[in-house]
Amino acid sequence: TYRIEFQARGMPHVHGVFWLLPEDVKNFTDENGSFDKTTVPNLIDEWISCSSDTGDETLDCLVKELNTHRHSKSCKKYGTECRFNFPKLPCDETLIASPLPEDMLEEEKEKVLLSAKQTLEKVKKFLSDLKYEDSELSLKELLKQLNIPYEDYKSAIKISQKGFVVIMKRTVNERNINNYNACFIRAMMSNIDVQFTFDIHSVITYVTDYFSKDD
């Protein structure tokens, strides 16, 4: 399901949704047919990557030239922050961030959310100020500079404010690389943003939003 949209400057781009076949997902679902949050990251890694060091020189060049975000007036037209949420937070594995347990006391929940927010904002600011030549830092080296315990960061990044959120595996150096599929980017030779969703409401909203937009 897709729609081709033309931007004001005349560039065509595609918004669409594609479904994986049952046999593609059967090993990543639980007995109820829902995606298993512990194993589905392996499925996501089969389809989506943020890697800038794939071992394929041609692919690496395509990713660098086509899928690396560079801030512009467009991405900051609503303020000083990038509306596409770059730079992205690094993580040493693909994982699913989840809301805190519903049975957690509100006071405790607010405390945990505030602590997580402060931790992630500290890292985000550091990444925004980081010079390109310093981007070979490992995640642990970055956290050490900020005096943030590794386990505290991992706990913070696993928390979402609402719903389930995919956190992609990426290095500090890959903080500005958009999600791509290696086959698609080779075939289309264009910028790509591929996202995995297992929330049917999100799929329906995405499809109807784009098909109901005026030309």
Side-chain angles (χ1 to χ4, degrees):
T1 303
Y2 68 93
R3 176 176 178 171
I4 298 176
E5 183 178 38
F6 290 84
Q7 295 170 319
R9 60 181 182 269
M11 292 296 293
H13 56 286
V14 178
H15 295 275
V17 176
F18 67 92
W19 284 261
L20 299 179
L21 296 172
E23 54 264 35
D24 293 327
V25 302
K26 66 180 180 181
N27 294 328
F28 307 97
T29 56
D30 58 26
E31 56 189 16
N32 298 317
S34 299
F35 281 109
D36 184 334
K37 309 300 186 300
T38 60
T39 61
V40 75
N42 296 321
L43 174 64
I44 296 171
D45 286 337
E46 288 183 15
W47 285 88
I48 306 173
S49 175
C50 303
S51 177
S52 61
D53 185 15
T54 65
D56 183 323
E57 187 176 341
T58 301
L59 178 58
D60 290 348
C61 287
L62 287 173
V63 172
K64 181 180 179 181
E65 294 299 319
L66 301 174
N67 244 50
T68 301
H69 179 76
R70 296 170 181 82
H71 293 309
S72 64
K73 290 182 180 179
S74 174
C75 75
K76 293 188 175 182
K77 67 180 182 179
Y78 300 126
T80 57
E81 297 294 322
C82 173
R83 65 189 175 104
F84 303 117
N85 203 32
F86 286 100
K88 304 285 187 180
L89 293 168
C91 192
D92 52 16
E93 61 177 331
T94 298
L95 55 85
I96 308 299
S98 308
L100 292 171
E102 292 184 1
D103 59 358
M104 181 181 284
L105 295 174
E106 281 302 317
E107 185 177 342
E108 183 183 358
K109 186 180 291 187
E110 289 177 9
K111 184 178 179 180
V112 172
L113 286 173
L114 178 61
S115 177
K117 181 181 179 181
Q118 291 173 339
T119 296
L120 298 182
E121 284 182 347
K122 192 174 182 180
V123 174
K124 191 78 177 251
K125 184 180 186 307
F126 182 89
L127 292 173
S128 296
D129 297 337
L130 190 62
K131 294 180 180 178
Y132 180 80
E133 58 267 27
D134 297 327
S135 61
E136 294 299 334
L137 282 171
S138 70
L139 173 57
K140 289 187 176 180
E141 288 171 339
L142 182 156
L143 296 175
K144 186 176 181 179
Q145 286 195 29
L146 294 176
N147 197 28
I148 297 174
Y150 174 80
E151 292 304 324
D152 288 359
Y153 177 75
K154 284 301 288 286
S155 296
I157 205 170
K158 289 179 179 179
I159 300 172
S160 75
Q161 296 284 345
K162 183 180 179 181
F164 297 106
V165 178
V166 177
I167 305 296
M168 290 299 301
K169 176 181 179 180
R170 71 174 75 237
T171 65
V172 175
N173 192 39
E174 294 160 353
R175 63 193 181 278
N176 288 320
I177 293 179
N178 210 2
N179 300 358
Y180 69 89
N181 174 282
C183 178
F184 295 173
I185 198 169
R186 283 194 187 99
M188 299 180 70
M189 301 287 285
S190 67
N191 175 265
I192 290 176
D193 179 14
V194 184
Q195 298 184 34
F196 183 90
T197 179
F198 39 89
D199 177 0
I200 189 63
H201 179 266
S202 297
V203 176
I204 293 171
T205 302
Y206 187 85
V207 172
T208 54
D209 277 356
Y210 279 102
F211 273 82
S212 62
K213 282 179 72 173
D214 60 32
D215 291 331

